[in-house]
Amino acid sequence: QAQLVESGGGSVQAGGSLRLSCAASAATYSRNCMAWFRQAPGKEREGVAVIYTSSGNTYYADSVKGRFTISQDNAKNSVYLQMNSLKPEDTAMYYCAAGRWVNAILSSWDMELWGKGTLVTISS
């Protein structure tokens, strides 16, 4: 059964860190790429980071470059998002997704499976 389960969200103060985890079933992890997206209240969903599972290539949205790091553990069928230097504007529901592709600037994608999300709240 294909599924994605996110964890690690929470509430921290600005400047703090969080690490999100996404556990995938084996069938899900076989997708071409895994990515993190986020959606703040009243805003559209936006791409945050993507990792291509075979090559390990990664791409980030400009808003998180230098602060967030996406990584994978193939043995655990898991993807992680290390978030440092968090800002109030990072507050959103964060979703893990698996699919075919995400473009290099994270503005367009073709994803097949989505998790239910984990909430990240950053206070100033």
Side-chain angles (χ1 to χ4, degrees), residues 26-105:
T28 303
Y29 201 72
S30 64
R31 266 49 173 196
N32 192 41
C33 66
M34 301 282 291
W36 287 96
F37 295 80
R38 66 186 182 187
Q39 187 166 16
K43 295 188 177 181
E44 293 186 352
R45 187 168 297 187
E46 62 176 353
V48 175
V50 59
I51 186 165
Y52 284 83
T53 53
S54 294
S55 65
N57 289 341
T58 59
Y59 301 91
Y60 297 90
D62 285 345
S63 58
V64 306
K65 280 181 183 176
R67 300 189 299 122
F68 290 12
T69 302
I70 189 171
S71 62
Q72 61 184 359
D73 185 335
N74 293 337
K76 296 182 178 180
N77 293 341
S78 294
V79 174
Y80 307 97
L81 186 68
Q82 178 66 44
M83 306 187 295
N84 299 328
S85 302
L86 284 161
K87 305 175 181 180
E89 51 263 43
D90 294 319
T91 295
M93 185 71 80
Y94 283 71
Y95 298 91
C96 178
R100 298 184 178 91
W101 58 266
V102 181
N103 71 351
I105 58 174

